[in-house]
Amino acid sequence: MPNRLRPAALALTLALAAAGCGANVSQEEGKAAGATAPPGGHYPVTVENCGEKKTFAKAPQRVVTNDVGITEIMFALGLEDHMAGYVMPDDKGDLTTVPWKDGYRKTKWLSKERISKELVLDARADLVFAGWSYGFNEGEGFTPAALRRVGVDSYLLSESCRNGQGKSRGVMAPLDALYTDLRNLGKVFDVEDRAETLVASFREQVAEAQAKAPKGADRPRVFLYDSGEDKPFTSGAFAGPHDIITKAGGDHVMKDLEDSWTTVGWETVVARDPEVIVINDYGDTTAEQKRKFLKSYKPLANVSAVKNDRFVTLDYVDLVESPRNPAAISALAEELR
């Protein structure tokens, strides 16, 4: 299903063009008083990523990204010249009409399969930007520690940070995760002004959507359906849909789940009786096929959203951490009004 190029996204693209490609970044704090910053004196820089302090002596030059949202974070920051390529399945929609289409045009699509250590080494990567369950996986032996052993650094998507409760993920609100990654990468790549321009534009876009969104008793109960028939895969409080739903004027029925993407039981969905179901559109099963399943699944027959045929479809990249999250809030707010 083609991705939608929304007016707000176009406005952001124009804003970034006006801001220009350069970034005037202040020198590293903490230098001795009166010291003169040498050429390249922005470095070393240190950022905190998933609870770990990471120091960079210089900007990485051959980054490999995994998945569409992560890749578009780099493109939104104008960092395609620092990339060796990206890994992404070919089920992520039409990439030729998005605000960052030039990034896709300029950057090599390394693989439509899973990211691997061999692929990273073949690309001569110096940094992998991925996340837990966004490429990194102990079961397959592809982890930041494994990369470190072969001399490749990593940066973890903040949405995917593990929170110390087994493998559950999430340590901050989803939009905060996006803003954290933009600012961290802005610092790592010496484009802090560009990152701040993005964050300010996104905050303004979200505020405009919230001002028009349903409030109080008018807020409909909303459930995010990703996939699954025996049990539904959905969003907890730390995945993108939570902030997208709540800031668009909905009441996220799974807001008490302290995880990002997770599985629940259908009995929980029935008990919470969502009035709107948002369908995550990706993969071999189309959004329409998902809707037909939900409409025909007998245990859901009396759920308000099913009875009243209230379904909203958003693309995968709208819902995972990505620079398209604010536009998704605007789009959903219109549907919920």
Side-chain angles (χ1 to χ4, degrees), residues 30-300:
K31 292 185 181 297
T36 301
H42 175 79
Y43 297 95
V45 296
T46 300
V47 297
E48 183 170 334
N49 179 219
C50 291
E52 179 184 359
K53 297 284 188 181
K54 297 185 68 70
T55 299
F56 294 83
K58 61 181 181 179
Q61 298 298 315
R62 294 191 60 80
V63 181
V64 170
T65 57
N66 185 71
D67 209 16
V68 59
I70 291 169
T71 300
E72 291 190 4
I73 288 172
M74 292 290 288
F75 291 164
L77 287 166
L79 296 175
E80 50 266 31
D81 289 344
H82 289 265
M83 294 177 62
Y86 61 91
V87 178
M88 185 191 306
D90 58 4
D91 64 352
K92 301 307 185 210
D94 180 7
L95 303 177
T96 64
T97 59
V98 300
W100 306 282
K101 62 182 178 182
D102 284 349
Y104 285 110
R105 181 176 56 80
K106 295 176 182 177
T107 310
K108 187 174 182 180
W109 196 339
L110 296 171
S111 176
K112 298 178 182 180
E113 306 298 329
R114 289 182 182 275
I115 193 170
S116 67
K117 183 170 66 176
E118 291 72 26
L119 180 149
V120 167
L121 293 175
D122 286 346
R124 296 181 291 113
D126 54 3
L127 179 79
V128 172
F129 181 12
W132 292 115
S133 297
Y134 290 92
F136 289 130
N137 186 318
E138 288 100 342
E140 297 179 2
F142 187 74
T143 65
L147 289 177
R148 192 159 48 243
R149 288 194 290 270
V150 294
V152 180
D153 209 343
S154 60
Y155 183 89
L156 283 161
L157 185 75
S158 287
E159 181 202 283
S160 79
C161 296
R162 287 180 173 164
N163 56 31
Q165 301 177 52
K167 293 186 177 181
S168 65
R169 296 169 293 164
V171 296
M172 64 184 79
L175 282 178
D176 288 344
L178 173 63
Y179 301 154
T180 294
D181 287 337
L182 289 169
R183 286 176 166 140
N184 276 351
L185 293 168
K187 189 172 182 181
V188 169
F189 290 94
D190 198 9
V191 290
E192 288 176 280
D193 284 0
R194 198 178 306 166
E196 289 301 331
T197 297
L198 280 168
V199 171
S201 177
F202 289 159
R203 287 189 183 280
E204 182 179 356
Q205 188 175 354
V206 171
E208 288 176 357
Q210 284 186 283
K212 301 174 184 176
K215 295 174 176 63
D218 293 330
R219 293 169 65 89
R221 298 182 301 277
V222 183
F223 172 66
L224 184 284
Y225 178 66
D226 179 285
S227 57
E229 295 190 0
D230 293 338
K231 291 184 177 181
F233 192 63
T234 188
S235 162
F238 294 116
H242 175 74
D243 271 356
I244 292 169
I245 290 168
T246 57
K247 295 185 184 302
D251 178 10
H252 182 206
V253 297
M254 298 299 172
K255 58 183 177 290
D256 59 325
L257 298 179
E258 295 185 355
D259 202 344
S260 58
W261 297 91
T262 189
T263 300
V264 298
W266 284 119
E267 62 277 8
T268 303
V269 179
V270 172
R272 299 183 181 190
D273 189 28
E275 296 166 283
V276 178
I277 295 177
V278 175
I279 294 175
N280 188 0
D281 187 14
Y282 75 104
D284 294 334
T285 305
T286 67
E288 180 58 22
Q289 288 171 325
K290 292 177 182 180
R291 189 189 74 84
K292 287 181 177 177
F293 163 71
L294 294 168
K295 289 281 288 181
S296 65
Y297 189 55
K298 290 183 179 179
L300 299 179

Side-chain angles (χ1 to χ4, degrees), residues 278-324:
V278 175
I279 294 175
N280 188 0
D281 187 14
Y282 75 104
D284 294 334
T285 305
T286 67
E288 180 58 22
Q289 288 171 325
K290 292 177 182 180
R291 189 189 74 84
K292 287 181 177 177
F293 163 71
L294 294 168
K295 289 281 288 181
S296 65
Y297 189 55
K298 290 183 179 179
L300 299 179
N302 291 318
V303 167
S304 296
V306 174
K307 285 196 301 183
N308 298 316
D309 200 26
R310 290 203 68 187
F311 297 92
V312 177
T313 298
L314 290 174
D315 294 324
Y316 172 90
V317 67
D318 295 330
L319 295 166
V320 296
E321 184 191 320
S322 85
R324 296 200 222 178

